[in-house]
Amino acid sequence: MLIPRPIRLTRKLRCFSRHGLTFAAAMACVVLVSGSLPGCGGGSKEIVADTPAAAPGVTFTGPRELRGTIGSMSRLNGTEPLAVGRFGLVVNLDGTGSNVVPEWMRTWLVNEMQKLGVGRRSVIARNPEWEFMTPQRILDDPRTAVVRVSGLIPPGATAGTRFDLLVEALAEDTSTTSLAGGELWQAELGFAGNDSRLLDVRQLATGRGPVYIPPYEAIHGESGNAEAQTRYRRQAVIVGGGQVTQPRRLEIVLNQPSLNTARFIERAINAKYRQAPDERDPTAVPVSQQRIVLNIPRRYRGNSEHLIDLIAHTFVAPQPIGPTVDEMVAWMERDGSPEVRRRAILTIKALGAIAAEHLSRHYDHADPQIRLAVLEAGAYLKDAAVTEPLIALADSPDGQTRIAVADGLVHIPRNTRVLAALRELLSDPEMDVRMAAYETLSVHGDPIIDSLAIRDSNGLKFVIDRVPSDVPSVYIEAEGLPRVVLFDEGQGFRQPVFASLWDNRMTLMSPSNIAQASLGLEEGNTAFLPVVRRGPVTDAAEGVVQAEVFDAGGGSAVVRASNPDAAQILAEGLPESEDVGNFLVQGRVTENVAGRLTIEIVGLDRSLEDMPLSVYYRDPREPRPTVHRVTPTVATLAFFLAHYPTMQQPQEGLDLDFGQVVDVIYSLSQNGAIPAHVTLRQSPLAEMIAGVRRREAPIERPESDGQSPGLSEPADATDAPEDAPEATARAR
């Protein structure tokens, strides 16, 4: 018979920790020892056991100020983004795709399209335009391209969570020159790992939607050569194109199993981070003596990383609030690094609203960085006393401080003082400050922000927000929720306007002569004519007078007036001379014969600023181009370009995607037509996914990795008080 080798416990066991008798010491004194231990009474004997009860915990090596927090006793699984992907098909390209498909993929793609109903008789019966569509024809069409689809599902994502996608033309396909203007057909996405084929995966999410490629010059600062631009346009982002179908599981893993410790952590989390009454599951649910599953409360969805940070810095056992706050402030005084300030403030926030009273003693701290940090924490804890000292910092010469002020005021209940301070920051010289103020005002629901959601049959396209500002500027964001933010709600154009895009498929211009202004007009339309003078006024009929008007190049039109007010405008408002002026004649078209207009005058203006933009557009799916006239503001133009006409909203619109609208706005800004700086915020998704692919292992860390952000310091199990549940009960 084999006899187990005696195991010598060389590490001294502490019978008492600062919280009381530890589990390891209690078990050693009561169960494992044949005799007694030094320090527990009795004589000294060597401890011998057949097998160790559990692997000894790792000594906590983090900051002493965080000893006793959940993060010092455990780690968290699921805090890294989860890479998902598959292959898909981008359609509706303008002949820039190809028929190159690897043979090992072709059969799979045909099957996927058949699942969507392509080529099926029942589908063709409902959609006659699909009559000649078959999977093979679609793959061979230059208006399609096979792409690799990739995305990163955020930690704690619930079913329905949206995330951005990256689509890339295949390396084998060198014929696809651009994905611009395309749309991804729905693709099922699964765990990517390091599998290069990604054919048979368990679905975790779906992906679909229009692709977005920002203008090349906006990202690289130069036009670049043709090869560089082609390489650039073979990759695109689908903003919010991914949708989670299987929620991600977040779980706390104790560094050493202990049922009592798991229960105590569960109670601490559920006491501080409760679910709403209508939410079914509690925030923390222990599933074993070592694992606790986290359910993200609704109020933290979309910001689960913040909840993870708070949980990591939450003390397991009740703490004396005042001394703990003072200890965190003293820690920041000893070590002024941004990371220490971040962790100290998180610890104070995790104490709860009761900490605000003690924190207020530090609102006038001599160190400006610490003062700003504690004021932000006080705002988070809903202490109205921070309002004035926080607003006072809005005059700081440091832009980062002004951003922190705007961010901090998001936690203060809306009042006139808060709104007034934020509205002033909308005219700050720095764009990042203006954006911080705008975002906080959005959360507060300030009616000063005029918001318009652009939708189509598939849902939300993007949002146009207009805010008043003394610093005209345009901010375009293509991450999360695509939006165009206009600082200066009436932002117009500098005349003359001209831009041509997409191989002249779209031209935007402010007409400089009558012929251009007449193009596309029909009887009953409203006309705006740029004129410099008129000819003699003559009687056309009883009570009707008319005159010929001329543009700078000699082009002409006939203008009629059938009432005294209009006749006075025509006779006295326009000069009958050769002097060049700038007049904008407005009227209703009564006749258009071969481009020769007759209009009924209704108004006259000495400025051309209100001259509508003429938009000429040739849809690649339509045989003839169309001409439209748009009120000359950036907001109206963006709405017109993206709007999808419906019975409820029958206004004209071209139904362009977000990327195409951004192309137009950026082109107009580059040629000076928009007298405001345009900022494009580029999505970091491509760089993030490239970093993931450089790793050999999947992005999900193994459970043995204890270095997850926010819960990084491994802990000794003896830091977990076994009498904690009773302590919690007494504290309640």
Side-chain angles (χ1 to χ4, degrees), residues 415-434:
N415 59 60
T416 55
R417 185 73 182 96
V418 168
L419 294 183
L422 289 167
R423 289 173 181 178
E424 287 185 16
L425 291 175
L426 289 176
S427 297
D428 191 275
E430 296 187 21
M431 171 60 87
D432 288 344
V433 179
R434 297 197 294 274

mmCIF file with all atom_site columns, all heavy atoms in Angstrom, residues 415-434:
data_model
loop_
_atom_site.group_PDB
_atom_site.id
_atom_site.type_symbol
_atom_site.label_atom_id
_atom_site.label_alt_id
_atom_site.label_comp_id
_atom_site.label_asym_id
_atom_site.label_entity_id
_atom_site.label_seq_id
_atom_site.pdbx_PDB_ins_code
_atom_site.Cartn_x
_atom_site.Cartn_y
_atom_site.Cartn_z
_atom_site.occupancy
_atom_site.B_iso_or_equiv
_atom_site.pdbx_formal_charge
_atom_site.auth_seq_id
_atom_site.auth_comp_id
_atom_site.auth_asym_id
_atom_site.auth_atom_id
_atom_site.pdbx_PDB_model_num
ATOM 1   N N   . ASN A 1 415 ? -30.268 72.176 -12.840 1.00 0.00 ? 415 ASN A N   1
ATOM 2   C CA  . ASN A 1 415 ? -30.785 73.434 -12.319 1.00 0.00 ? 415 ASN A CA  1
ATOM 3   C C   . ASN A 1 415 ? -30.244 74.561 -13.188 1.00 0.00 ? 415 ASN A C   1
ATOM 4   O O   . ASN A 1 415 ? -29.375 74.349 -14.040 1.00 0.00 ? 415 ASN A O   1
ATOM 5   C CB  . ASN A 1 415 ? -30.405 73.633 -10.843 1.00 0.00 ? 415 ASN A CB  1
ATOM 6   C CG  . ASN A 1 415 ? -28.908 73.622 -10.611 1.00 0.00 ? 415 ASN A CG  1
ATOM 7   O OD1 . ASN A 1 415 ? -28.180 74.451 -11.163 1.00 0.00 ? 415 ASN A OD1 1
ATOM 8   N ND2 . ASN A 1 415 ? -28.434 72.678 -9.793  1.00 0.00 ? 415 ASN A ND2 1
ATOM 9   N N   . THR A 1 416 ? -30.767 75.770 -12.998 1.00 0.00 ? 416 THR A N   1
ATOM 10  C CA  . THR A 1 416 ? -30.402 76.880 -13.875 1.00 0.00 ? 416 THR A CA  1
ATOM 11  C C   . THR A 1 416 ? -28.918 77.199 -13.798 1.00 0.00 ? 416 THR A C   1
ATOM 12  O O   . THR A 1 416 ? -28.302 77.564 -14.802 1.00 0.00 ? 416 THR A O   1
ATOM 13  C CB  . THR A 1 416 ? -31.221 78.123 -13.521 1.00 0.00 ? 416 THR A CB  1
ATOM 14  O OG1 . THR A 1 416 ? -31.049 78.428 -12.123 1.00 0.00 ? 416 THR A OG1 1
ATOM 15  C CG2 . THR A 1 416 ? -32.698 77.885 -13.789 1.00 0.00 ? 416 THR A CG2 1
ATOM 16  N N   . ARG A 1 417 ? -28.311 77.059 -12.602 1.00 0.00 ? 417 ARG A N   1
ATOM 17  C CA  . ARG A 1 417 ? -26.888 77.381 -12.459 1.00 0.00 ? 417 ARG A CA  1
ATOM 18  C C   . ARG A 1 417 ? -26.031 76.391 -13.251 1.00 0.00 ? 417 ARG A C   1
ATOM 19  O O   . ARG A 1 417 ? -25.078 76.779 -13.927 1.00 0.00 ? 417 ARG A O   1
ATOM 20  C CB  . ARG A 1 417 ? -26.502 77.359 -10.973 1.00 0.00 ? 417 ARG A CB  1
ATOM 21  C CG  . ARG A 1 417 ? -25.072 77.798 -10.712 1.00 0.00 ? 417 ARG A CG  1
ATOM 22  C CD  . ARG A 1 417 ? -24.909 79.286 -10.897 1.00 0.00 ? 417 ARG A CD  1
ATOM 23  N NE  . ARG A 1 417 ? -23.523 79.694 -10.690 1.00 0.00 ? 417 ARG A NE  1
ATOM 24  C CZ  . ARG A 1 417 ? -22.652 79.859 -11.674 1.00 0.00 ? 417 ARG A CZ  1
ATOM 25  N NH1 . ARG A 1 417 ? -23.012 79.656 -12.930 1.00 0.00 ? 417 ARG A NH1 1
ATOM 26  N NH2 . ARG A 1 417 ? -21.421 80.261 -11.414 1.00 0.00 ? 417 ARG A NH2 1
ATOM 27  N N   . VAL A 1 418 ? -26.363 75.116 -13.162 1.00 0.00 ? 418 VAL A N   1
ATOM 28  C CA  . VAL A 1 418 ? -25.612 74.085 -13.884 1.00 0.00 ? 418 VAL A CA  1
ATOM 29  C C   . VAL A 1 418 ? -25.761 74.275 -15.390 1.00 0.00 ? 418 VAL A C   1
ATOM 30  O O   . VAL A 1 418 ? -24.778 74.246 -16.144 1.00 0.00 ? 418 VAL A O   1
ATOM 31  C CB  . VAL A 1 418 ? -26.085 72.679 -13.461 1.00 0.00 ? 418 VAL A CB  1
ATOM 32  C CG1 . VAL A 1 418 ? -25.537 71.619 -14.402 1.00 0.00 ? 418 VAL A CG1 1
ATOM 33  C CG2 . VAL A 1 418 ? -25.657 72.380 -12.033 1.00 0.00 ? 418 VAL A CG2 1
ATOM 34  N N   . LEU A 1 419 ? -26.996 74.497 -15.846 1.00 0.00 ? 419 LEU A N   1
ATOM 35  C CA  . LEU A 1 419 ? -27.216 74.659 -17.283 1.00 0.00 ? 419 LEU A CA  1
ATOM 36  C C   . LEU A 1 419 ? -26.499 75.894 -17.820 1.00 0.00 ? 419 LEU A C   1
ATOM 37  O O   . LEU A 1 419 ? -25.932 75.873 -18.918 1.00 0.00 ? 419 LEU A O   1
ATOM 38  C CB  . LEU A 1 419 ? -28.712 74.746 -17.577 1.00 0.00 ? 419 LEU A CB  1
ATOM 39  C CG  . LEU A 1 419 ? -29.543 73.488 -17.287 1.00 0.00 ? 419 LEU A CG  1
ATOM 40  C CD1 . LEU A 1 419 ? -30.994 73.705 -17.686 1.00 0.00 ? 419 LEU A CD1 1
ATOM 41  C CD2 . LEU A 1 419 ? -28.982 72.278 -18.011 1.00 0.00 ? 419 LEU A CD2 1
ATOM 42  N N   . ALA A 1 420 ? -26.522 76.976 -17.042 1.00 0.00 ? 420 ALA A N   1
ATOM 43  C CA  . ALA A 1 420 ? -25.866 78.206 -17.494 1.00 0.00 ? 420 ALA A CA  1
ATOM 44  C C   . ALA A 1 420 ? -24.359 77.996 -17.656 1.00 0.00 ? 420 ALA A C   1
ATOM 45  O O   . ALA A 1 420 ? -23.759 78.459 -18.639 1.00 0.00 ? 420 ALA A O   1
ATOM 46  C CB  . ALA A 1 420 ? -26.146 79.338 -16.513 1.00 0.00 ? 420 ALA A CB  1
ATOM 47  N N   . ALA A 1 421 ? -23.739 77.307 -16.700 1.00 0.00 ? 421 ALA A N   1
ATOM 48  C CA  . ALA A 1 421 ? -22.292 77.063 -16.783 1.00 0.00 ? 421 ALA A CA  1
ATOM 49  C C   . ALA A 1 421 ? -21.953 76.192 -17.988 1.00 0.00 ? 421 ALA A C   1
ATOM 50  O O   . ALA A 1 421 ? -20.972 76.443 -18.700 1.00 0.00 ? 421 ALA A O   1
ATOM 51  C CB  . ALA A 1 421 ? -21.805 76.407 -15.494 1.00 0.00 ? 421 ALA A CB  1
ATOM 52  N N   . LEU A 1 422 ? -22.764 75.170 -18.228 1.00 0.00 ? 422 LEU A N   1
ATOM 53  C CA  . LEU A 1 422 ? -22.500 74.274 -19.356 1.00 0.00 ? 422 LEU A CA  1
ATOM 54  C C   . LEU A 1 422 ? -22.729 74.980 -20.691 1.00 0.00 ? 422 LEU A C   1
ATOM 55  O O   . LEU A 1 422 ? -21.988 74.771 -21.655 1.00 0.00 ? 422 LEU A O   1
ATOM 56  C CB  . LEU A 1 422 ? -23.389 73.035 -19.251 1.00 0.00 ? 422 LEU A CB  1
ATOM 57  C CG  . LEU A 1 422 ? -23.029 72.065 -18.121 1.00 0.00 ? 422 LEU A CG  1
ATOM 58  C CD1 . LEU A 1 422 ? -24.146 71.057 -17.907 1.00 0.00 ? 422 LEU A CD1 1
ATOM 59  C CD2 . LEU A 1 422 ? -21.720 71.340 -18.429 1.00 0.00 ? 422 LEU A CD2 1
ATOM 60  N N   . ARG A 1 423 ? -23.737 75.839 -20.747 1.00 0.00 ? 423 ARG A N   1
ATOM 61  C CA  . ARG A 1 423 ? -24.005 76.563 -21.989 1.00 0.00 ? 423 ARG A CA  1
ATOM 62  C C   . ARG A 1 423 ? -22.849 77.503 -22.336 1.00 0.00 ? 423 ARG A C   1
ATOM 63  O O   . ARG A 1 423 ? -22.542 77.715 -23.509 1.00 0.00 ? 423 ARG A O   1
ATOM 64  C CB  . ARG A 1 423 ? -25.316 77.333 -21.866 1.00 0.00 ? 423 ARG A CB  1
ATOM 65  C CG  . ARG A 1 423 ? -26.549 76.429 -21.861 1.00 0.00 ? 423 ARG A CG  1
ATOM 66  C CD  . ARG A 1 423 ? -27.818 77.198 -21.569 1.00 0.00 ? 423 ARG A CD  1
ATOM 67  N NE  . ARG A 1 423 ? -28.986 76.334 -21.553 1.00 0.00 ? 423 ARG A NE  1
ATOM 68  C CZ  . ARG A 1 423 ? -30.222 76.754 -21.281 1.00 0.00 ? 423 ARG A CZ  1
ATOM 69  N NH1 . ARG A 1 423 ? -30.428 78.038 -21.003 1.00 0.00 ? 423 ARG A NH1 1
ATOM 70  N NH2 . ARG A 1 423 ? -31.230 75.906 -21.288 1.00 0.00 ? 423 ARG A NH2 1
ATOM 71  N N   . GLU A 1 424 ? -22.230 78.068 -21.321 1.00 0.00 ? 424 GLU A N   1
ATOM 72  C CA  . GLU A 1 424 ? -21.059 78.911 -21.577 1.00 0.00 ? 424 GLU A CA  1
ATOM 73  C C   . GLU A 1 424 ? -19.917 78.087 -22.183 1.00 0.00 ? 424 GLU A C   1
ATOM 74  O O   . GLU A 1 424 ? -19.196 78.561 -23.067 1.00 0.00 ? 424 GLU A O   1
ATOM 75  C CB  . GLU A 1 424 ? -20.596 79.573 -20.282 1.00 0.00 ? 424 GLU A CB  1
ATOM 76  C CG  . GLU A 1 424 ? -21.493 80.700 -19.798 1.00 0.00 ? 424 GLU A CG  1
ATOM 77  C CD  . GLU A 1 424 ? -20.919 81.399 -18.585 1.00 0.00 ? 424 GLU A CD  1
ATOM 78  O OE1 . GLU A 1 424 ? -19.714 81.229 -18.307 1.00 0.00 ? 424 GLU A OE1 1
ATOM 79  O OE2 . GLU A 1 424 ? -21.677 82.116 -17.911 1.00 0.00 ? 424 GLU A OE2 1
ATOM 80  N N   . LEU A 1 425 ? -19.768 76.861 -21.709 1.00 0.00 ? 425 LEU A N   1
ATOM 81  C CA  . LEU A 1 425 ? -18.694 76.012 -22.225 1.00 0.00 ? 425 LEU A CA  1
ATOM 82  C C   . LEU A 1 425 ? -18.943 75.558 -23.666 1.00 0.00 ? 425 LEU A C   1
ATOM 83  O O   . LEU A 1 425 ? -18.028 75.077 -24.327 1.00 0.00 ? 425 LEU A O   1
ATOM 84  C CB  . LEU A 1 425 ? -18.506 74.789 -21.320 1.00 0.00 ? 425 LEU A CB  1
ATOM 85  C CG  . LEU A 1 425 ? -17.928 75.074 -19.924 1.00 0.00 ? 425 LEU A CG  1
ATOM 86  C CD1 . LEU A 1 425 ? -17.899 73.798 -19.089 1.00 0.00 ? 425 LEU A CD1 1
ATOM 87  C CD2 . LEU A 1 425 ? -16.522 75.666 -20.040 1.00 0.00 ? 425 LEU A CD2 1
ATOM 88  N N   . LEU A 1 426 ? -20.162 75.721 -24.165 1.00 0.00 ? 426 LEU A N   1
ATOM 89  C CA  . LEU A 1 426 ? -20.435 75.395 -25.567 1.00 0.00 ? 426 LEU A CA  1
ATOM 90  C C   . LEU A 1 426 ? -19.672 76.318 -26.515 1.00 0.00 ? 426 LEU A C   1
ATOM 91  O O   . LEU A 1 426 ? -19.519 76.004 -27.700 1.00 0.00 ? 426 LEU A O   1
ATOM 92  C CB  . LEU A 1 426 ? -21.938 75.498 -25.862 1.00 0.00 ? 426 LEU A CB  1
ATOM 93  C CG  . LEU A 1 426 ? -22.834 74.423 -25.258 1.00 0.00 ? 426 LEU A CG  1
ATOM 94  C CD1 . LEU A 1 426 ? -24.291 74.732 -25.552 1.00 0.00 ? 426 LEU A CD1 1
ATOM 95  C CD2 . LEU A 1 426 ? -22.473 73.035 -25.770 1.00 0.00 ? 426 LEU A CD2 1
ATOM 96  N N   . SER A 1 427 ? -19.212 77.455 -26.002 1.00 0.00 ? 427 SER A N   1
ATOM 97  C CA  . SER A 1 427 ? -18.433 78.390 -26.819 1.00 0.00 ? 427 SER A CA  1
ATOM 98  C C   . SER A 1 427 ? -16.962 78.382 -26.430 1.00 0.00 ? 427 SER A C   1
ATOM 99  O O   . SER A 1 427 ? -16.236 79.336 -26.734 1.00 0.00 ? 427 SER A O   1
ATOM 100 C CB  . SER A 1 427 ? -19.018 79.802 -26.690 1.00 0.00 ? 427 SER A CB  1
ATOM 101 O OG  . SER A 1 427 ? -20.341 79.852 -27.184 1.00 0.00 ? 427 SER A OG  1
ATOM 102 N N   . ASP A 1 428 ? -16.511 77.328 -25.761 1.00 0.00 ? 428 ASP A N   1
ATOM 103 C CA  . ASP A 1 428 ? -15.112 77.219 -25.369 1.00 0.00 ? 428 ASP A CA  1
ATOM 104 C C   . ASP A 1 428 ? -14.229 77.131 -26.623 1.00 0.00 ? 428 ASP A C   1
ATOM 105 O O   . ASP A 1 428 ? -14.638 76.562 -27.639 1.00 0.00 ? 428 ASP A O   1
ATOM 106 C CB  . ASP A 1 428 ? -14.917 75.965 -24.503 1.00 0.00 ? 428 ASP A CB  1
ATOM 107 C CG  . ASP A 1 428 ? -13.557 75.924 -23.827 1.00 0.00 ? 428 ASP A CG  1
ATOM 108 O OD1 . ASP A 1 428 ? -12.582 75.456 -24.461 1.00 0.00 ? 428 ASP A OD1 1
ATOM 109 O OD2 . ASP A 1 428 ? -13.466 76.370 -22.681 1.00 0.00 ? 428 ASP A OD2 1
ATOM 110 N N   . PRO A 1 429 ? -13.010 77.658 -26.569 1.00 0.00 ? 429 PRO A N   1
ATOM 111 C CA  . PRO A 1 429 ? -12.125 77.580 -27.748 1.00 0.00 ? 429 PRO A CA  1
ATOM 112 C C   . PRO A 1 429 ? -11.755 76.157 -28.148 1.00 0.00 ? 429 PRO A C   1
ATOM 113 O O   . PRO A 1 429 ? -11.432 75.923 -29.319 1.00 0.00 ? 429 PRO A O   1
ATOM 114 C CB  . PRO A 1 429 ? -10.880 78.362 -27.300 1.00 0.00 ? 429 PRO A CB  1
ATOM 115 C CG  . PRO A 1 429 ? -11.335 79.229 -26.174 1.00 0.00 ? 429 PRO A CG  1
ATOM 116 C CD  . PRO A 1 429 ? -12.424 78.468 -25.494 1.00 0.00 ? 429 PRO A CD  1
ATOM 117 N N   . GLU A 1 430 ? -11.770 75.205 -27.202 1.00 0.00 ? 430 GLU A N   1
ATOM 118 C CA  . GLU A 1 430 ? -11.345 73.841 -27.508 1.00 0.00 ? 430 GLU A CA  1
ATOM 119 C C   . GLU A 1 430 ? -12.548 72.950 -27.819 1.00 0.00 ? 430 GLU A C   1
ATOM 120 O O   . GLU A 1 430 ? -13.521 72.917 -27.070 1.00 0.00 ? 430 GLU A O   1
ATOM 121 C CB  . GLU A 1 430 ? -10.540 73.257 -26.344 1.00 0.00 ? 430 GLU A CB  1
ATOM 122 C CG  . GLU A 1 430 ? -9.234  73.974 -26.068 1.00 0.00 ? 430 GLU A CG  1
ATOM 123 C CD  . GLU A 1 430 ? -8.392  73.277 -25.022 1.00 0.00 ? 430 GLU A CD  1
ATOM 124 O OE1 . GLU A 1 430 ? -8.616  72.062 -24.809 1.00 0.00 ? 430 GLU A OE1 1
ATOM 125 O OE2 . GLU A 1 430 ? -7.541  73.930 -24.414 1.00 0.00 ? 430 GLU A OE2 1
ATOM 126 N N   . MET A 1 431 ? -12.442 72.207 -28.917 1.00 0.00 ? 431 MET A N   1
ATOM 127 C CA  . MET A 1 431 ? -13.533 71.333 -29.339 1.00 0.00 ? 431 MET A CA  1
ATOM 128 C C   . MET A 1 431 ? -13.866 70.282 -28.284 1.00 0.00 ? 431 MET A C   1
ATOM 129 O O   . MET A 1 431 ? -15.041 69.996 -28.032 1.00 0.00 ? 431 MET A O   1
ATOM 130 C CB  . MET A 1 431 ? -13.173 70.649 -30.663 1.00 0.00 ? 431 MET A CB  1
ATOM 131 C CG  . MET A 1 431 ? -14.140 69.557 -31.099 1.00 0.00 ? 431 MET A CG  1
ATOM 132 S SD  . MET A 1 431 ? -15.825 70.136 -31.355 1.00 0.00 ? 431 MET A SD  1
ATOM 133 C CE  . MET A 1 431 ? -15.724 70.675 -33.053 1.00 0.00 ? 431 MET A CE  1
ATOM 134 N N   . ASP A 1 432 ? -12.848 69.683 -27.641 1.00 0.00 ? 432 ASP A N   1
ATOM 135 C CA  . ASP A 1 432 ? -13.106 68.635 -26.649 1.00 0.00 ? 432 ASP A CA  1
ATOM 136 C C   . ASP A 1 432 ? -13.923 69.173 -25.478 1.00 0.00 ? 432 ASP A C   1
ATOM 137 O O   . ASP A 1 432 ? -14.752 68.448 -24.905 1.00 0.00 ? 432 ASP A O   1
ATOM 138 C CB  . ASP A 1 432 ? -11.788 68.043 -26.143 1.00 0.00 ? 432 ASP A CB  1
ATOM 139 C CG  . ASP A 1 432 ? -11.109 67.172 -27.186 1.00 0.00 ? 432 ASP A CG  1
ATOM 140 O OD1 . ASP A 1 432 ? -11.789 66.789 -28.161 1.00 0.00 ? 432 ASP A OD1 1
ATOM 141 O OD2 . ASP A 1 432 ? -9.911  66.884 -27.037 1.00 0.00 ? 432 ASP A OD2 1
ATOM 142 N N   . VAL A 1 433 ? -13.699 70.429 -25.105 1.00 0.00 ? 433 VAL A N   1
ATOM 143 C CA  . VAL A 1 433 ? -14.481 71.035 -24.019 1.00 0.00 ? 433 VAL A CA  1
ATOM 144 C C   . VAL A 1 433 ? -15.917 71.252 -24.485 1.00 0.00 ? 433 VAL A C   1
ATOM 145 O O   . VAL A 1 433 ? -16.873 70.970 -23.751 1.00 0.00 ? 433 VAL A O   1
ATOM 146 C CB  . VAL A 1 433 ? -13.846 72.360 -23.562 1.00 0.00 ? 433 VAL A CB  1
ATOM 147 C CG1 . VAL A 1 433 ? -14.690 72.997 -22.451 1.00 0.00 ? 433 VAL A CG1 1
ATOM 148 C CG2 . VAL A 1 433 ? -12.419 72.134 -23.076 1.00 0.00 ? 433 VAL A CG2 1
ATOM 149 N N   . ARG A 1 434 ? -16.072 71.757 -25.694 1.00 0.00 ? 434 ARG A N   1
ATOM 150 C CA  . ARG A 1 434 ? -17.425 71.970 -26.222 1.00 0.00 ? 434 ARG A CA  1
ATOM 151 C C   . ARG A 1 434 ? -18.193 70.650 -26.277 1.00 0.00 ? 434 ARG A C   1
ATOM 152 O O   . ARG A 1 434 ? -19.378 70.592 -25.934 1.00 0.00 ? 434 ARG A O   1
ATOM 153 C CB  . ARG A 1 434 ? -17.363 72.597 -27.625 1.00 0.00 ? 434 ARG A CB  1
ATOM 154 C CG  . ARG A 1 434 ? -16.733 73.971 -27.649 1.00 0.00 ? 434 ARG A CG  1
ATOM 155 C CD  . ARG A 1 434 ? -17.056 74.732 -28.927 1.00 0.00 ? 434 ARG A CD  1
ATOM 156 N NE  . ARG A 1 434 ? -16.490 74.141 -30.123 1.00 0.00 ? 434 ARG A NE  1
ATOM 157 C CZ  . ARG A 1 434 ? -15.272 74.366 -30.577 1.00 0.00 ? 434 ARG A CZ  1
ATOM 158 N NH1 . ARG A 1 434 ? -14.454 75.161 -29.901 1.00 0.00 ? 434 ARG A NH1 1
ATOM 159 N NH2 . ARG A 1 434 ? -14.838 73.815 -31.700 1.00 0.00 ? 434 ARG A NH2 1
#
